[in-house]
Amino acid sequence: MPGQAGCDSVPVVLLRLVAFTLTAAAAPFVGAGAQDRARAVDIPASAFGPSWTGFYVGAGFGAGALESAVTSTGTVGLTVDRSAGSGILAAVYGGVDYQLLPRALVGILVEGTWSNIGGSASAQAPGVSASLTRKADFGWSALVRAGVLAHPTTLLYLIGGYSGQNLRTDGTALAGGALAGFSRNEYFNGWTIGTGVETRLGGGWSTKLEYRYTQFESKAAPGTSFVVQPTTHTARVGLTYKFGSFGDDAAAGVAGESPARDWTGIYLGAGAGASASINRLDASFGNASSSLDAGGHALLGTVFAGYDFHVAPRLVLGVLGDLTWTGPQSLQTLNAGGGTFTITSRTNMSWDALARVGFLPSPSTLLYAAGGYTGEHVTTTASASVGGFNASATQDDVVNGWTVGPGVETVIFGGWTTRLEYRYSRFERKAVTAGTSVQPSMHTVRAGLAYKFGAGK
């Protein structure tokens, strides 16, 4: 259900999303009406061919969130349900695919990644302080993928396997006039699961949009009071070259498809996915204060509607709006100066009004960028207990911001399409109480199923 958080919920929803899109891609053979079945068989099985079989190399870039469960039990106790941070990444990869059926393939790939994704946490009180920064820099993955071809040019797939990551952690602590610090590079083992869409551009070239969730082992920094367990949510766009091209039909652009498909029209749809929130929390109470990038992740559900205008053979412009239910929550507890301070921030609902511009590498698949206004409803609660005095405050806010991200949409049959998109959203800063403020940001991935009225005419 939307709003349920937890490390195990994200891989579960990704498996369900992929099963949903793969089932949808097979729908022309099992559940379409007579008209849609006739349209589906316009693409003969021979058009799919073994053209995806072969070796490939590629490079990509993207963005993501690092979340770490962080606990310190020193003089200044800082407990963070999900310390977090954002950043960008770049990757190089290589692999091989084998098309074992006309519409199905399996493959393996190896990838190396560099990123600056990271965040920080700090706490201060008279005579004592503590700080911690984390950054995921170099990592690599050995993965398998399996997918189905919605069309000869477009692959919907699931990916998963091993990931390793170097995490640089720097920390300092001051107590009783003594300053201690550490700087460590630690290697974490973990596992990855994700989903993606890849589409051919022509010749041996293809592009893909991919989302991954990775969970790593937990480790204690030797000689310190910090225990860290990182997870990452990343989205990446890749450009791939396949050796030997995709076969003779690649030169024609789209095997067995009519070039006259019109994307103009109104559409309605629904989707599901996952969200990772990063909230910049700043708080002070008496002589104690703290500041950190806190985060959380949860599932989401969304409904959307829009209008596209096919302005040129390969160019589509459109507008869309959506309403999304999600519930990532961040939690920070500070123990310092004989008192306890707690702040939580939870996202309940968000909405978007966006424009999108898209390019058609084939008549059935749209590569697009979307961006515009976003708003969300956030509930923030702050409480403090010092010297027997207790105080708390809860505030509901609507925060405004902007959002941007890429997407891939492909025709399944008739007026039905499926899409995968990633968005990064950033919102304004809001004061909760005197001395307490929060600035939210959000990474989301969503898979959607849409119906376009009058499509294919």
Side-chain angles (χ1 to χ4, degrees), residues 87-116:
I88 59 174
L89 64 87
V92 292
Y93 55 87
V96 60
D97 287 329
Y98 178 67
Q99 196 166 343
L100 70 170
L101 294 172
R103 282 183 176 261
L105 65 81
V106 295
I108 57 174
L109 69 94
V110 176
E111 180 181 86
T113 303
W114 172 89
S115 83
N116 67 351

Side-chain angles (χ1 to χ4, degrees), residues 164-252:
Q165 180 67 56
N166 184 71
L167 185 69
R168 180 179 177 87
T169 306
D170 297 287
T172 61
L174 174 65
L179 177 65
F182 71 94
S183 180
R184 293 184 58 85
N185 287 294
E186 294 181 285
Y187 185 81
F188 288 79
N189 299 296
W191 52 267
T192 292
I193 189 170
T195 186
V197 180
E198 183 172 358
T199 189
R200 288 156 47 180
L201 300 175
W205 295 98
S206 65
T207 187
K208 64 180 178 179
L209 173 63
E210 188 174 288
Y211 169 81
R212 298 182 195 170
Y213 170 80
T214 305
Q215 181 173 312
F216 298 98
E217 62 187 319
S218 61
K219 284 190 176 183
T224 76
S225 60
F226 294 107
V227 177
V228 179
Q229 182 179 27
T231 61
T232 59
H233 304 254
T234 57
R236 61 200 72 200
V237 175
L239 182 64
T240 303
Y241 181 77
K242 177 180 173 296
F243 297 100
S245 187
F246 283 96
D248 294 338
D249 60 344

Side-chain angles (χ1 to χ4, degrees), residues 277-291:
S277 65
I278 297 92
N279 299 317
R280 181 65 181 182
L281 303 174
D282 294 289
S284 61
F285 186 80
N287 294 321
S289 65
S290 65
S291 178

